[in-house]
CSV table of all heavy atoms in Angstrom, one decimal:
chain,number,residue,atom,x,y,z
A,59,MET,N,26.9,17.2,41.8
A,59,MET,CA,27.2,15.9,42.5
A,59,MET,C,28.0,16.1,43.8
A,59,MET,O,28.9,16.9,43.8
A,59,MET,CB,28.1,15.0,41.6
A,59,MET,CG,27.4,13.9,40.8
A,59,MET,SD,26.3,12.9,41.8
A,59,MET,CE,26.0,11.6,40.6
A,60,ASN,N,27.6,15.4,44.8
A,60,ASN,CA,28.4,15.4,46.0
A,60,ASN,C,29.1,14.1,46.1
A,60,ASN,O,28.8,13.1,45.4
A,60,ASN,CB,27.5,15.6,47.3
A,60,ASN,CG,26.4,14.6,47.3
A,60,ASN,OD1,26.7,13.5,47.7
A,60,ASN,ND2,25.2,14.9,47.0
A,61,GLU,N,30.1,14.1,47.0
A,61,GLU,CA,31.0,12.9,47.0
A,61,GLU,C,30.6,11.8,48.0
A,61,GLU,O,31.3,10.9,48.2
A,61,GLU,CB,32.4,13.4,47.4
A,61,GLU,CG,32.6,13.9,48.8
A,61,GLU,CD,32.2,15.4,49.0
A,61,GLU,OE1,31.3,15.9,48.3
A,61,GLU,OE2,32.8,16.0,49.9
A,62,PHE,N,29.4,11.9,48.5
A,62,PHE,CA,29.0,10.9,49.5
A,62,PHE,C,28.4,9.7,48.9
A,62,PHE,O,27.6,9.7,48.0
A,62,PHE,CB,28.0,11.6,50.5
A,62,PHE,CG,28.6,12.6,51.3
A,62,PHE,CD1,28.4,14.0,51.0
A,62,PHE,CD2,29.3,12.3,52.4
A,62,PHE,CE1,29.0,15.0,51.8
A,62,PHE,CE2,29.9,13.3,53.2
A,62,PHE,CZ,29.8,14.6,52.9
A,63,GLU,N,28.7,8.5,49.6
A,63,GLU,CA,28.0,7.3,49.3
A,63,GLU,C,26.8,7.2,50.2
A,63,GLU,O,26.8,7.9,51.3
A,63,GLU,CB,28.9,6.1,49.5
A,63,GLU,CG,30.2,6.1,48.7
A,63,GLU,CD,30.0,5.9,47.2
A,63,GLU,OE1,28.9,5.3,46.9
A,63,GLU,OE2,30.8,6.3,46.5
A,64,ASP,N,25.9,6.4,49.9
A,64,ASP,CA,24.6,6.3,50.7
A,64,ASP,C,24.9,6.1,52.2
A,64,ASP,O,24.2,6.7,53.0
A,64,ASP,CB,23.7,5.2,50.2
A,64,ASP,CG,23.1,5.6,48.9
A,64,ASP,OD1,23.2,6.7,48.5
A,64,ASP,OD2,22.5,4.7,48.3
A,65,ASN,N,25.8,5.3,52.5
A,65,ASN,CA,26.1,5.0,54.0
A,65,ASN,C,27.0,5.8,54.6
A,65,ASN,O,27.4,5.6,55.8
A,65,ASN,CB,26.4,3.5,54.1
A,65,ASN,CG,25.3,2.6,53.8
A,65,ASN,OD1,24.1,2.9,54.0
A,65,ASN,ND2,25.6,1.4,53.2
A,66,ASP,N,27.6,6.8,54.0
A,66,ASP,CA,28.5,7.8,54.6
A,66,ASP,C,27.8,8.7,55.6
A,66,ASP,O,26.7,9.2,55.3
A,66,ASP,CB,29.2,8.6,53.5
A,66,ASP,CG,30.2,7.8,52.7
A,66,ASP,OD1,30.5,6.7,53.1
A,66,ASP,OD2,30.7,8.4,51.7
A,67,ILE,N,28.5,9.0,56.7
A,67,ILE,CA,27.9,9.9,57.6
A,67,ILE,C,28.2,11.3,57.0
A,67,ILE,O,29.3,11.7,56.7
A,67,ILE,CB,28.7,9.8,59.0
A,67,ILE,CG1,28.5,8.4,59.6
A,67,ILE,CG2,28.2,10.9,59.9
A,67,ILE,CD1,27.2,8.2,60.3
A,68,VAL,N,27.1,12.1,56.9
A,68,VAL,CA,27.2,13.5,56.4
A,68,VAL,C,27.3,14.4,57.5
A,68,VAL,O,28.2,15.3,57.6
A,68,VAL,CB,26.0,13.8,55.5
A,68,VAL,CG1,26.1,15.3,55.0
A,68,VAL,CG2,26.0,12.9,54.3
A,69,CYS,N,26.4,14.2,58.5
A,69,CYS,CA,26.5,15.1,59.7
A,69,CYS,C,26.9,14.2,60.9
A,69,CYS,O,26.2,13.4,61.4
A,69,CYS,CB,25.1,15.6,60.0
A,69,CYS,SG,25.0,16.6,61.5
A,70,ARG,N,28.2,14.4,61.3
A,70,ARG,CA,28.7,13.5,62.3
A,70,ARG,C,28.1,13.8,63.7
A,70,ARG,O,28.1,13.0,64.6
A,70,ARG,CB,30.2,13.6,62.4
A,70,ARG,CG,30.8,14.9,62.7
A,70,ARG,CD,32.3,15.0,62.4
A,70,ARG,NE,32.7,16.4,62.2
A,70,ARG,CZ,32.9,17.2,63.2
A,70,ARG,NH1,32.8,16.9,64.4
A,70,ARG,NH2,33.3,18.5,62.9
A,71,HIS,N,27.6,15.0,63.9
A,71,HIS,CA,27.0,15.3,65.2
A,71,HIS,C,25.7,14.6,65.4
A,71,HIS,O,25.4,14.1,66.5
A,71,HIS,CB,26.7,16.8,65.4
A,71,HIS,CG,28.0,17.6,65.8
A,71,HIS,ND1,28.7,18.4,65.0
A,71,HIS,CD2,28.7,17.5,67.0
A,71,HIS,CE1,29.7,18.9,65.7
A,71,HIS,NE2,29.7,18.3,66.9
A,72,LEU,N,24.9,14.4,64.4
A,72,LEU,CA,23.7,13.7,64.5
A,72,LEU,C,23.8,12.3,64.0
A,72,LEU,O,22.8,11.5,64.0
A,72,LEU,CB,22.6,14.4,63.7
A,72,LEU,CG,21.9,15.7,64.3
A,72,LEU,CD1,21.2,15.3,65.6
A,72,LEU,CD2,22.9,16.8,64.5
A,73,GLN,N,25.0,11.9,63.5
A,73,GLN,CA,25.2,10.6,63.0
A,73,GLN,C,24.3,10.3,61.8
A,73,GLN,O,23.7,9.2,61.7
A,73,GLN,CB,25.1,9.5,64.1
A,73,GLN,CG,26.1,9.6,65.1
A,73,GLN,CD,27.5,9.2,64.6
A,73,GLN,OE1,27.7,8.1,64.2
A,73,GLN,NE2,28.5,10.1,64.8
A,74,LEU,N,24.0,11.3,61.0
A,74,LEU,CA,23.1,11.1,59.8
A,74,LEU,C,23.9,10.7,58.6
A,74,LEU,O,24.8,11.4,58.2
A,74,LEU,CB,22.4,12.4,59.6
A,74,LEU,CG,21.3,12.9,60.5
A,74,LEU,CD1,21.0,14.3,60.3
A,74,LEU,CD2,20.1,12.0,60.4
A,75,THR,N,23.4,9.7,58.0
A,75,THR,CA,24.0,9.2,56.7
A,75,THR,C,23.3,9.9,55.6
A,75,THR,O,22.2,10.5,55.7
A,75,THR,CB,23.8,7.7,56.5
A,75,THR,OG1,22.4,7.4,56.4
A,75,THR,CG2,24.5,6.9,57.6
A,76,LYS,N,24.0,9.9,54.4
A,76,LYS,CA,23.4,10.5,53.2
A,76,LYS,C,22.0,9.8,53.0
A,76,LYS,O,21.0,10.6,52.7
A,76,LYS,CB,24.3,10.3,52.0
A,76,LYS,CG,23.6,10.8,50.7
A,76,LYS,CD,24.5,10.6,49.5
A,76,LYS,CE,23.7,11.0,48.3
A,76,LYS,NZ,24.5,10.8,47.1
A,77,SER,N,21.9,8.5,53.1
A,77,SER,CA,20.6,7.9,52.7
A,77,SER,C,19.5,8.3,53.7
A,77,SER,O,18.3,8.4,53.3
A,77,SER,CB,20.8,6.4,52.7
A,77,SER,OG,21.1,5.9,53.9
A,78,GLU,N,19.8,8.6,54.9
A,78,GLU,CA,18.8,9.0,55.9
A,78,GLU,C,18.3,10.4,55.5
A,78,GLU,O,17.1,10.7,55.6
A,78,GLU,CB,19.3,9.0,57.3
A,78,GLU,CG,19.5,7.6,57.9
A,78,GLU,CD,20.2,7.6,59.2
A,78,GLU,OE1,21.3,8.3,59.4
A,78,GLU,OE2,19.8,6.9,60.1
A,79,ILE,N,19.2,11.2,55.1
A,79,ILE,CA,18.8,12.6,54.7
A,79,ILE,C,18.0,12.6,53.4
A,79,ILE,O,17.0,13.2,53.3
A,79,ILE,CB,20.1,13.5,54.5
A,79,ILE,CG1,20.8,13.7,55.9
A,79,ILE,CG2,19.8,14.8,53.9
A,79,ILE,CD1,22.2,14.3,55.8
A,80,VAL,N,18.5,11.8,52.5
A,80,VAL,CA,17.8,11.6,51.2
A,80,VAL,C,16.4,11.1,51.4
A,80,VAL,O,15.4,11.6,50.8
A,80,VAL,CB,18.6,10.7,50.2
A,80,VAL,CG1,17.7,10.2,49.1
A,80,VAL,CG2,19.8,11.4,49.7
A,81,LYS,N,16.2,10.1,52.4
A,81,LYS,CA,14.9,9.6,52.6
A,81,LYS,C,13.9,10.6,53.1
A,81,LYS,O,12.8,10.7,52.7
A,81,LYS,CB,15.0,8.4,53.7
A,81,LYS,CG,13.7,7.7,53.8
A,81,LYS,CD,13.9,6.5,54.8
A,81,LYS,CE,12.6,5.6,54.9
A,81,LYS,NZ,11.4,6.4,55.0
A,82,SER,N,14.4,11.5,54.1
A,82,SER,CA,13.5,12.5,54.6
A,82,SER,C,13.2,13.5,53.5
A,82,SER,O,12.0,13.9,53.4
A,82,SER,CB,14.3,13.3,55.7
A,82,SER,OG,14.4,12.6,56.8
A,83,ILE,N,14.2,13.8,52.6
A,83,ILE,CA,13.9,14.8,51.6
A,83,ILE,C,12.8,14.2,50.6
A,83,ILE,O,11.9,14.9,50.2
A,83,ILE,CB,15.2,15.1,50.8
A,83,ILE,CG1,16.2,15.9,51.6
A,83,ILE,CG2,14.9,15.8,49.5
A,83,ILE,CD1,17.6,16.0,51.1
A,84,ARG,N,13.0,12.9,50.3
A,84,ARG,CA,12.0,12.3,49.3
A,84,ARG,C,10.6,12.1,50.0
A,84,ARG,O,9.6,12.4,49.4
A,84,ARG,CB,12.6,10.9,48.9
A,84,ARG,CG,13.7,11.1,47.9
A,84,ARG,CD,14.2,9.8,47.4
A,84,ARG,NE,15.4,10.1,46.6
A,84,ARG,CZ,16.2,9.1,46.1
A,84,ARG,NH1,15.9,7.8,46.4
A,84,ARG,NH2,17.3,9.3,45.4
A,85,ASP,N,10.6,11.5,51.2
A,85,ASP,CA,9.3,11.2,51.8
A,85,ASP,C,8.5,12.4,52.1
A,85,ASP,O,7.3,12.4,51.9
A,85,ASP,CB,9.6,10.5,53.2
A,85,ASP,CG,10.1,9.1,53.0
A,85,ASP,OD1,10.1,8.6,51.9
A,85,ASP,OD2,10.4,8.5,54.1
A,86,LYS,N,9.2,13.5,52.5
A,86,LYS,CA,8.4,14.7,52.8
A,86,LYS,C,8.4,15.8,51.7
A,86,LYS,O,7.9,16.9,51.9
A,86,LYS,CB,9.0,15.3,54.1
A,86,LYS,CG,9.1,14.2,55.2
A,86,LYS,CD,8.3,14.6,56.4
A,86,LYS,CE,8.1,13.4,57.4
A,86,LYS,NZ,9.3,12.9,58.0
A,87,GLN,N,9.1,15.4,50.6
A,87,GLN,CA,9.2,16.4,49.5
A,87,GLN,C,9.7,17.7,49.9
A,87,GLN,O,9.2,18.8,49.6
A,87,GLN,CB,7.8,16.5,48.8
A,87,GLN,CG,7.3,15.3,48.2
A,87,GLN,CD,7.9,15.0,46.8
A,87,GLN,OE1,7.8,15.8,45.9
A,87,GLN,NE2,8.7,13.9,46.7
A,88,LEU,N,10.8,17.7,50.6
A,88,LEU,CA,11.4,18.9,51.1
A,88,LEU,C,12.1,19.7,50.0
A,88,LEU,O,12.6,19.1,49.1
A,88,LEU,CB,12.5,18.6,52.2
A,88,LEU,CG,12.0,17.7,53.4
A,88,LEU,CD1,13.1,17.4,54.4
A,88,LEU,CD2,10.8,18.3,54.1
A,89,THR,N,12.0,21.0,50.2
A,89,THR,CA,12.6,21.8,49.1
A,89,THR,C,13.6,22.9,49.6
A,89,THR,O,14.3,23.5,48.9
A,89,THR,CB,11.5,22.6,48.4
A,89,THR,OG1,10.7,23.3,49.3
A,89,THR,CG2,10.6,21.7,47.6
A,90,THR,N,13.6,23.1,50.9
A,90,THR,CA,14.6,24.1,51.5
A,90,THR,C,15.5,23.5,52.5
A,90,THR,O,15.1,22.5,53.2
A,90,THR,CB,13.9,25.3,52.1
A,90,THR,OG1,13.2,24.9,53.3
A,90,THR,CG2,12.8,25.9,51.1
A,91,PHE,N,16.6,24.1,52.7
A,91,PHE,CA,17.6,23.7,53.7
A,91,PHE,C,17.0,23.7,55.1
A,91,PHE,O,17.2,22.8,55.9
A,91,PHE,CB,18.8,24.6,53.6
A,91,PHE,CG,19.9,24.4,54.6
A,91,PHE,CD1,20.6,23.2,54.6
A,91,PHE,CD2,20.1,25.3,55.6
A,91,PHE,CE1,21.5,22.9,55.6
A,91,PHE,CE2,21.1,25.1,56.6
A,91,PHE,CZ,21.8,23.9,56.6
A,92,GLU,N,16.2,24.8,55.3
A,92,GLU,CA,15.5,24.9,56.7
A,92,GLU,C,14.6,23.8,56.9
A,92,GLU,O,14.5,23.3,58.1
A,92,GLU,CB,14.8,26.2,56.7
A,92,GLU,CG,15.6,27.5,56.8
A,92,GLU,CD,16.3,27.9,55.6
A,92,GLU,OE1,15.9,27.4,54.5
A,92,GLU,OE2,17.3,28.6,55.6
A,93,GLN,N,13.9,23.3,55.9
A,93,GLN,CA,13.0,22.2,56.1
A,93,GLN,C,13.8,20.9,56.4
A,93,GLN,O,13.4,20.1,57.2
A,93,GLN,CB,12.2,21.9,54.8
A,93,GLN,CG,11.1,23.0,54.6
A,93,GLN,CD,10.4,22.8,53.2
A,93,GLN,OE1,11.0,22.3,52.3
A,93,GLN,NE2,9.2,23.3,53.1
A,94,VAL,N,14.9,20.7,55.8
A,94,VAL,CA,15.8,19.6,56.0
A,94,VAL,C,16.3,19.6,57.5
A,94,VAL,O,16.3,18.6,58.2
A,94,VAL,CB,16.9,19.5,55.0
A,94,VAL,CG1,17.8,18.3,55.3
A,94,VAL,CG2,16.4,19.4,53.6
A,95,GLN,N,16.6,20.8,57.9
A,95,GLN,CA,17.1,21.0,59.3
A,95,GLN,C,16.0,20.6,60.3
A,95,GLN,O,16.2,19.9,61.2
A,95,GLN,CB,17.5,22.4,59.6
A,95,GLN,CG,18.9,22.8,59.0
A,95,GLN,CD,19.4,24.1,59.5
A,95,GLN,OE1,18.7,25.1,59.3
A,95,GLN,NE2,20.5,24.2,60.1
A,96,ASP,N,14.8,21.1,60.0
A,96,ASP,CA,13.6,20.8,60.9
A,96,ASP,C,13.3,19.3,60.9
A,96,ASP,O,13.0,18.8,62.0
A,96,ASP,CB,12.3,21.5,60.3
A,96,ASP,CG,12.4,23.0,60.6
A,96,ASP,OD1,13.2,23.5,61.4
A,96,ASP,OD2,11.5,23.7,60.0
A,97,GLU,N,13.4,18.7,59.8
A,97,GLU,CA,13.1,17.3,59.8
A,97,GLU,C,14.1,16.3,60.3
A,97,GLU,O,13.8,15.3,61.0
A,97,GLU,CB,12.8,16.8,58.3
A,97,GLU,CG,11.5,17.3,57.8
A,97,GLU,CD,10.2,16.7,58.5
A,97,GLU,OE1,10.3,15.6,59.0
A,97,GLU,OE2,9.2,17.4,58.5
A,98,THR,N,15.4,16.7,60.1
A,98,THR,CA,16.5,15.7,60.4
A,98,THR,C,17.4,16.2,61.6
A,98,THR,O,18.2,15.5,62.1
A,98,THR,CB,17.4,15.5,59.2
A,98,THR,OG1,18.0,16.7,58.8
A,98,THR,CG2,16.5,15.0,58.0
A,99,ASP,N,17.3,17.5,61.9
A,99,ASP,CA,18.2,18.2,62.8
A,99,ASP,C,19.6,18.3,62.2
A,99,ASP,O,20.6,18.7,62.9
A,99,ASP,CB,18.3,17.5,64.2
A,99,ASP,CG,17.0,17.8,64.9
A,99,ASP,OD1,16.3,18.8,64.7
A,99,ASP,OD2,16.7,17.0,65.8
A,100,ALA,N,19.8,17.9,61.0
A,100,ALA,CA,21.2,18.0,60.3
A,100,ALA,C,21.6,19.5,60.4
A,100,ALA,O,20.8,20.4,60.3
A,100,ALA,CB,21.1,17.6,58.9
A,101,ALA,N,22.9,19.6,60.6
A,101,ALA,CA,23.6,21.0,60.6
A,101,ALA,C,23.0,21.9,61.7
A,101,ALA,O,23.0,23.1,61.5
A,101,ALA,CB,23.4,21.6,59.2
A,102,THR,N,22.5,21.3,62.8
A,102,THR,CA,22.0,22.2,63.8
A,102,THR,C,22.9,22.3,65.0
A,102,THR,O,22.7,23.0,66.0
A,102,THR,CB,20.6,21.7,64.3
A,102,THR,OG1,20.7,20.4,64.8
A,102,THR,CG2,19.5,21.8,63.3
A,103,VAL,N,24.1,21.5,65.0
A,103,VAL,CA,25.0,21.6,66.1
A,103,VAL,C,26.2,22.5,65.8
A,103,VAL,O,26.3,23.6,66.3
A,103,VAL,CB,25.4,20.1,66.5
A,103,VAL,CG1,26.3,20.2,67.7
A,103,VAL,CG2,24.3,19.3,66.8
A,104,CYS,N,27.1,22.0,64.9
A,104,CYS,CA,28.2,22.9,64.6
A,104,CYS,C,28.0,23.6,63.3
A,104,CYS,O,28.7,24.6,63.0
A,104,CYS,CB,29.5,22.1,64.6
A,104,CYS,SG,29.7,21.0,63.1
A,105,GLY,N,27.2,23.0,62.4
A,105,GLY,CA,26.9,23.7,61.1
A,105,GLY,C,27.9,23.4,60.0
A,105,GLY,O,27.8,23.8,58.9
A,106,SER,N,29.0,22.7,60.4
A,106,SER,CA,30.0,22.5,59.3
A,106,SER,C,29.6,21.6,58.2
A,106,SER,O,30.2,21.6,57.1
A,106,SER,CB,31.3,21.9,60.0
A,106,SER,OG,31.1,20.6,60.3
A,107,CYS,N,28.5,20.8,58.4
A,107,CYS,CA,28.0,19.9,57.4
A,107,CYS,C,27.0,20.6,56.5
A,107,CYS,O,26.4,20.0,55.6
A,107,CYS,CB,27.4,18.7,58.0
A,107,CYS,SG,26.1,19.1,59.1
A,108,ALA,N,26.7,21.9,56.8
A,108,ALA,CA,25.6,22.6,56.1
A,108,ALA,C,25.7,22.5,54.6
A,108,ALA,O,24.8,22.3,53.9
A,108,ALA,CB,25.5,24.1,56.6
A,109,SER,N,26.9,22.8,54.1
A,109,SER,CA,27.1,22.9,52.6
A,109,SER,C,26.9,21.5,52.0
A,109,SER,O,26.4,21.4,50.9
A,109,SER,CB,28.4,23.5,52.2
A,109,SER,OG,29.5,22.7,52.8
A,110,ASP,N,27.3,20.4,52.8
A,110,ASP,CA,27.1,19.1,52.2
A,110,ASP,C,25.7,18.8,52.2
A,110,ASP,O,25.1,18.1,51.3
A,110,ASP,CB,27.9,18.1,53.1
A,110,ASP,CG,29.4,18.3,53.0
A,110,ASP,OD1,29.8,18.7,52.0
A,110,ASP,OD2,30.0,18.0,54.0
A,111,VAL,N,24.9,19.1,53.3
A,111,VAL,CA,23.5,18.9,53.3
A,111,VAL,C,22.8,19.6,52.2
A,111,VAL,O,21.9,19.1,51.5
A,111,VAL,CB,22.9,19.3,54.7
A,111,VAL,CG1,21.4,19.2,54.7
A,111,VAL,CG2,23.5,18.5,55.8
A,112,GLU,N,23.2,20.8,51.9
A,112,GLU,CA,22.6,21.6,50.9
A,112,GLU,C,22.9,21.0,49.5
A,112,GLU,O,22.0,20.9,48.6
A,112,GLU,CB,23.1,23.0,50.9
A,112,GLU,CG,22.4,23.9,51.9
A,112,GLU,CD,22.8,25.4,51.7
A,112,GLU,OE1,22.1,26.1,51.0
A,112,GLU,OE2,23.7,25.8,52.4
A,113,ALA,N,24.1,20.4,49.3
A,113,ALA,CA,24.4,19.8,48.1
A,113,ALA,C,23.6,18.6,47.8
A,113,ALA,O,23.1,18.3,46.7
A,113,ALA,CB,25.9,19.4,48.1
A,114,ILE,N,23.3,17.8,48.9
A,114,ILE,CA,22.5,16.6,48.8
A,114,ILE,C,21.0,17.1,48.4
A,114,ILE,O,20.4,16.5,47.6
A,114,ILE,CB,22.5,15.8,50.1
A,114,ILE,CG1,23.9,15.2,50.2
A,114,ILE,CG2,21.4,14.8,50.1
A,114,ILE,CD1,24.2,14.6,51.6
A,115,LEU,N,20.6,18.1,49.1
A,115,LEU,CA,19.2,18.6,48.8
A,115,LEU,C,19.1,19.0,47.4
A,115,LEU,O,18.1,18.7,46.7
A,115,LEU,CB,18.9,19.8,49.7
A,115,LEU,CG,17.6,20.5,49.5
A,115,LEU,CD1,16.4,19.6,49.6
A,115,LEU,CD2,17.4,21.7,50.4
A,116,GLU,N,20.1,19.8,46.9
A,116,GLU,CA,20.0,20.3,45.5
A,116,GLU,C,20.1,19.1,44.5
A,116,GLU,O,19.4,19.2,43.5
A,116,GLU,CB,21.2,21.2,45.3
A,116,GLU,CG,21.0,22.6,45.7
A,116,GLU,CD,22.2,23.5,45.8
A,116,GLU,OE1,23.2,23.2,45.1
A,116,GLU,OE2,22.3,24.4,46.6
A,117,GLU,N,20.8,18.1,44.8
A,117,GLU,CA,20.9,17.0,43.9
A,117,GLU,C,19.5,16.3,43.9
A,117,GLU,O,19.0,15.9,42.8
A,117,GLU,CB,21.9,16.0,44.5
A,117,GLU,CG,22.2,14.8,43.5
A,117,GLU,CD,23.3,13.9,44.1
A,117,GLU,OE1,24.3,14.3,44.6
A,117,GLU,OE2,23.0,12.6,44.1
A,118,GLU,N,18.8,16.2,45.0
A,118,GLU,CA,17.5,15.6,45.1
A,118,GLU,C,16.5,16.4,44.3
A,118,GLU,O,15.6,15.8,43.6
A,118,GLU,CB,17.0,15.3,46.5
A,118,GLU,CG,17.7,14.2,47.2
A,118,GLU,CD,17.6,12.9,46.4
A,118,GLU,OE1,16.5,12.5,46.1
A,118,GLU,OE2,18.6,12.3,46.1
A,119,ILE,N,16.5,17.7,44.5
A,119,ILE,CA,15.6,18.6,43.8
A,119,ILE,C,15.8,18.4,42.3
A,119,ILE,O,14.9,18.4,41.5
A,119,ILE,CB,15.8,20.0,44.2
A,119,ILE,CG1,15.3,20.2,45.7
A,119,ILE,CG2,15.0,21.0,43.3
A,119,ILE,CD1,15.5,21.5,46.3
A,120,ARG,N,17.1,18.4,41.8
A,120,ARG,CA,17.4,18.2,40.4
A,120,ARG,C,16.8,16.9,39.9
A,120,ARG,O,16.2,16.9,38.8
A,120,ARG,CB,18.9,18.2,40.2
A,120,ARG,CG,19.3,19.4,39.4
A,120,ARG,CD,20.8,19.3,39.0
A,120,ARG,NE,21.7,18.5,39.8
A,120,ARG,CZ,22.4,19.0,40.8
A,120,ARG,NH1,22.4,20.2,41.1
A,120,ARG,NH2,23.2,18.2,41.5
A,121,LYS,N,17.0,15.8,40.7
A,121,LYS,CA,16.4,14.5,40.3
A,121,LYS,C,14.9,14.6,40.1
A,121,LYS,O,14.3,14.0,39.2
A,121,LYS,CB,16.8,13.4,41.3
A,121,LYS,CG,18.2,13.0,41.2
A,121,LYS,CD,18.4,11.8,42.1
A,121,LYS,CE,19.9,11.5,42.3
A,121,LYS,NZ,20.2,10.8,43.5
A,122,ARG,N,14.3,15.3,41.1
A,122,ARG,CA,12.8,15.4,41.1
A,122,ARG,C,12.3,16.1,39.8
A,122,ARG,O,11.4,15.7,39.2
A,122,ARG,CB,12.4,16.2,42.3
A,122,ARG,CG,11.0,15.9,42.8
A,122,ARG,CD,10.8,16.8,44.1
A,122,ARG,NE,11.5,16.4,45.3
A,122,ARG,CZ,11.7,17.2,46.3
A,122,ARG,NH1,11.2,18.4,46.3
A,122,ARG,NH2,12.4,16.8,47.4
A,123,LYS,N,13.0,17.1,39.5
A,123,LYS,CA,12.7,17.9,38.3
A,123,LYS,C,12.9,17.1,37.0
A,123,LYS,O,12.1,17.1,36.1
A,123,LYS,CB,13.5,19.2,38.2
A,123,LYS,CG,13.0,20.3,39.1
A,123,LYS,CD,13.7,21.6,38.8
A,123,LYS,CE,13.4,22.6,39.8
A,123,LYS,NZ,14.6,23.3,40.3
A,124,ASP,N,14.0,16.3,37.0
A,124,ASP,CA,14.3,15.5,35.8
A,124,ASP,C,13.3,14.3,35.7
A,124,ASP,O,13.2,13.7,34.7
A,124,ASP,CB,15.7,14.9,35.9
A,124,ASP,CG,16.7,16.1,35.8
A,124,ASP,OD1,16.3,17.2,35.4
A,124,ASP,OD2,17.9,15.8,36.0
A,125,GLY,N,12.6,14.0,36.8
A,125,GLY,CA,11.7,12.9,36.8
A,125,GLY,C,12.4,11.7,37.2
A,125,GLY,O,12.5,10.7,36.5
B,445,FES,S1,28.5,17.9,61.6
B,445,FES,FE1,26.5,18.4,61.3
B,445,FES,S2,26.1,19.8,62.9
B,445,FES,FE2,28.1,19.2,63.2
């Protein structure tokens, strides 16, 4: 679990909220951190949000597996 609410900014450089990142992950069925970077540009400026973005991705992958 990560500590973000849907409308919280996860990547402040790109002004990306958790829900925007989750939407990309779900719509495009992303599975790797690099794919999330390609799609959203998250964590491509300072990189300090990388672990948070990864945590969100992992949570989504877990949900996908659980159905
Ligand atoms: S906060 Fe995401 S790249 Fe800086």
Side-chain angles (χ1 to χ4, degrees):
M59 257 315 189
N60 56 76
E61 69 275 30
F62 292 98
E63 301 292 338
D64 286 351
N65 291 326
D66 287 349
I67 299 279
V68 176
C69 176
R70 63 192 156 79
H71 278 112
L72 281 300
Q73 295 290 302
L74 284 167
T75 61
K76 176 181 174 180
S77 61
E78 287 170 319
I79 294 171
V80 165
K81 188 176 187 314
S82 291
I83 293 170
R84 289 184 187 169
D85 287 355
K86 310 243 165 64
Q87 293 283 296
L88 306 181
T89 54
T90 68
F91 176 66
E92 287 74 19
Q93 288 174 335
V94 179
Q95 282 188 307
D96 285 348
E97 286 295 333
T98 65
D99 286 337
T102 57
V103 184
C104 74
S106 72
C107 58
S109 59
D110 293 330
V111 173
E112 281 190 88
I114 290 168
L115 173 63
E116 277 166 24
E117 190 179 313
E118 284 306 307
I119 291 172
R120 243 188 337 264
K121 283 184 193 164
R122 205 180 290 163
K123 283 192 189 131
D124 293 346

